[in-house]
Amino acid sequence: MEHFDVLIVGAGISGIGAAVHLKTLCPGRRWAILEARAELGGTWDLFRYPGVRSDSDMYTLGFSFRPWTEPRAIVDGASIQQYLKDTAREHGLYEALRFDHSVRRASWSSATARWTLTIERRTTGQTLQMSCGFLFMCTGYYDSARGHCPAFAGVEQFRGRVIHPQQWAPDVEYAGQRVVVIGSGATAVTLVPALAKTAAHVTLLQRSPSYVLTVPAHDAWVSALRSVLRPELVARLARWRNILLGVYVFQLCRRWPGLARKLLLRRTRRELGPDYDVESHFSPRYAPWDQRLCIAPDGDLFQVLRSGQASVVTDQIVTFTETGLSLQSGRQLAADLVVTATGLELQLMGNLEISVDGCRVDAAKSLSYRGVMFSGIPNLATCFGYTNASWTLRSELSARFVCRLLEYMARHGYQQCRPRQARESDGSLPLVDFSSGYVQRGLQRLPRQGTRAPWRVRQNYLWDRLDSSWTRWSDGSLEFSSPVAAASSGHAPREGQLV
């Protein structure tokens, strides 16, 4: 059985970033990246629907060690995947990538301080095993096999096609078609302007509105600075400007939600004109940043609404019909194609089955340690990005945390590290404080967080960056042990014993 010091599972943004940090900060260790798909990229290899793009700017979504230097701030999925491929090639990661390796089970042995992984290869049906001293799960937070789709009444009688964006296929025809996109989140806001380019008409059908913010697709500030400064320096300045701006906007929305709401709706009215019914279609019931803001690069959604290529209907579906949808208001929507942009299904660590010393462990019943590890589970870390900022910002902090932890353990001769909750009185809170449907549906699949550090998971990059630089490994929250050393002295460590 092949053994590694560290195995990284997932070759998306988190996994590629983790590998570069591991290679740079922990030289000499043997490691590999296991990826279930046939290509790297994660989300950006999976999603192929029209217009797919990030709702974070590339200056913060890109890696700190490889700044995004182009003036384009919001880019399509193919460009992001190419950026990841170029990063992997530049840092020599391809030789460590194992594609078609889907990790199903992970079993920990305290006696050997090793994880044994059971891996399936879908193309051959082969099952194999690998082992590692530390397991770093970089699989994202949603089920890549399926998205969320409610059970719509009458869908079987619809004569057109119904498809979820996560299952988008090359043979989906929409040119000259009447398209209905069901949803109001980032995916729906992305799809509508992309489909409207060739569709006969696109209707955005939403049960309730979301906030939509226009941002420039190209950063004029970056373009101006590039004429006098090196592109790499400009990219780093843009990264920090956008980090600080993001923190400011989030704090504004949380501290003064009434003012933030007023400012957002004022911008929407400016985009759509005084006669548009903004109150019905773009005025959510929730406060700004109770859910993630939707982004419209260069106001592309508003452009197709103004031109009449697309329209918004805020209503509820009663049933599908042969030719479209029947709504609660009595309105009938004709459709040839219905796209159910109705959300994701949350999934923790790719639904990995975990056992520790022969006992099955449910990570969702644990407490999150610094948003990276789980109480009671040794030598395992995961990456869960920010909900209010770029995913990469936290994924890089998580990777650096893991590298510092591995170096600390190596210096002191430890082979095991297990977070331990000190007090039950610390209590627990939901890991994610968001009202979005996909979050509320999946909270029971995620660990909880505590009420105080280091069990509290903040959504503040500046605080986390400062705090992570001063991590105290000896504060009692982490239990370190060395089973090999204990065995040589004639006894094995007891549960809870520090060696």
Side-chain angles (χ1 to χ4, degrees), residues 171-362:
D171 65 343
V172 178
E173 302 251 348
Y174 60 90
Q177 305 283 300
R178 297 166 298 177
V179 183
V180 173
V181 177
I182 303 174
S184 60
T187 302
V189 168
T190 297
L191 273 164
V192 170
L195 296 172
K197 292 177 181 177
T198 57
H201 186 79
V202 181
T203 302
L204 174 62
L205 174 59
Q206 57 184 11
R207 185 171 54 185
S208 58
S210 297
Y211 293 103
V212 181
L213 178 65
T214 294
V215 298
H218 284 71
D219 197 315
W221 184 80
V222 168
S223 296
L225 285 183
R226 280 167 60 93
S227 62
V228 294
L229 297 174
R230 290 183 296 106
E232 292 78 10
L233 176 58
V234 174
R236 295 186 188 280
L237 291 172
R239 180 183 180 85
W240 273 106
R241 179 205 59 180
N242 289 358
I243 288 171
L244 295 173
L245 181 60
V247 171
Y248 167 75
V249 170
F250 180 74
Q251 292 298 325
L252 171 67
C253 291
R254 285 302 175 102
R255 293 173 185 269
W256 297 284
L259 174 61
R261 176 185 177 87
K262 183 178 179 180
L263 293 173
L264 286 166
L265 295 185
R266 180 187 296 171
R267 292 186 64 163
T268 302
R269 290 190 181 94
R270 191 181 305 143
E271 289 279 358
L272 293 172
D275 298 328
Y276 196 91
D277 188 1
V278 170
E279 287 300 322
S280 295
H281 303 310
F282 289 98
S283 182
R285 294 187 292 267
Y286 59 87
W289 268 122
D290 281 354
Q291 298 182 21
R292 196 173 175 98
L293 298 180
C294 295
I295 299 300
D298 292 334
D300 58 358
L301 175 66
F302 301 124
Q303 289 178 27
V304 296
L305 293 177
R306 289 195 305 266
S307 69
Q309 295 169 282
S311 57
V312 179
V313 174
T314 304
D315 208 332
Q316 296 196 42
I317 299 169
V318 174
T319 183
F320 273 70
T321 66
E322 289 187 357
T323 58
L325 300 103
S326 178
L327 307 181
Q328 195 173 69
S329 64
R331 184 172 178 176
Q332 305 294 312
L333 283 183
D336 305 301
L337 171 67
V338 175
V339 184
T340 55
T342 44
L344 306 168
E345 287 289 351
L346 288 188
Q347 187 180 80
L348 182 62
M349 296 189 290
N351 204 29
L352 179 69
E353 182 183 314
I354 301 173
S355 64
V356 175
D357 294 327
C359 297
R360 181 78 178 268
V361 175
D362 184 358

Side-chain angles (χ1 to χ4, degrees), residues 3-7 28-32 131-135 406:
H3 177 73
F4 296 86
D5 297 318
V6 183
L7 281 174
R29 283 180 172 79
R30 188 162 186 257
W31 55 272
S131 65
C132 63
F134 198 96
L135 182 58
L406 291 172

Side-chain angles (χ1 to χ4, degrees), residues 299-479:
D300 58 358
L301 175 66
F302 301 124
Q303 289 178 27
V304 296
L305 293 177
R306 289 195 305 266
S307 69
Q309 295 169 282
S311 57
V312 179
V313 174
T314 304
D315 208 332
Q316 296 196 42
I317 299 169
V318 174
T319 183
F320 273 70
T321 66
E322 289 187 357
T323 58
L325 300 103
S326 178
L327 307 181
Q328 195 173 69
S329 64
R331 184 172 178 176
Q332 305 294 312
L333 283 183
D336 305 301
L337 171 67
V338 175
V339 184
T340 55
T342 44
L344 306 168
E345 287 289 351
L346 288 188
Q347 187 180 80
L348 182 62
M349 296 189 290
N351 204 29
L352 179 69
E353 182 183 314
I354 301 173
S355 64
V356 175
D357 294 327
C359 297
R360 181 78 178 268
V361 175
D362 184 358
K365 292 188 168 77
S366 69
L367 207 61
S368 177
Y369 174 78
R370 296 185 180 274
V372 182
M373 299 181 75
F374 306 92
S375 60
I377 303 180
N379 288 35
L380 184 147
T382 189
C383 183
F384 199 106
Y386 289 112
T387 56
N388 65 345
S390 165
W391 179 275
T392 311
L393 295 177
R394 174 170 266 169
S395 77
E396 287 201 295
L397 290 180
S398 299
R400 290 179 192 135
F401 169 89
V402 168
C403 291
R404 286 197 303 272
L405 177 60
L406 291 172
E407 289 296 285
Y408 176 84
M409 292 172 67
R411 286 196 306 272
H412 292 82
Y414 296 130
Q415 290 181 285
Q416 299 186 87
C417 171
R418 187 186 315 236
R420 292 290 193 191
Q421 183 180 357
R423 296 179 295 250
E424 291 293 332
S425 60
D426 279 349
S428 63
L429 302 167
L431 184 67
V432 181
D433 180 21
F434 247 26
S435 64
S436 302
Y438 75 97
V439 172
Q440 294 302 311
R441 287 192 306 271
L443 277 177
Q444 75 280 1
R445 303 180 199 128
L446 302 179
R448 307 281 287 178
Q449 64 168 311
T451 57
R452 65 187 76 189
W455 308 100
R456 182 76 165 149
V457 181
R458 305 180 191 88
Q459 295 293 329
N460 188 314
Y461 173 74
L462 298 178
W463 181 270
D464 286 343
R465 183 182 171 95
L466 179 64
D467 182 56
S468 65
S469 301
W470 297 95
T471 302
R472 292 176 61 242
W473 304 115
S474 57
D475 66 357
S477 301
L478 293 177
E479 177 185 284

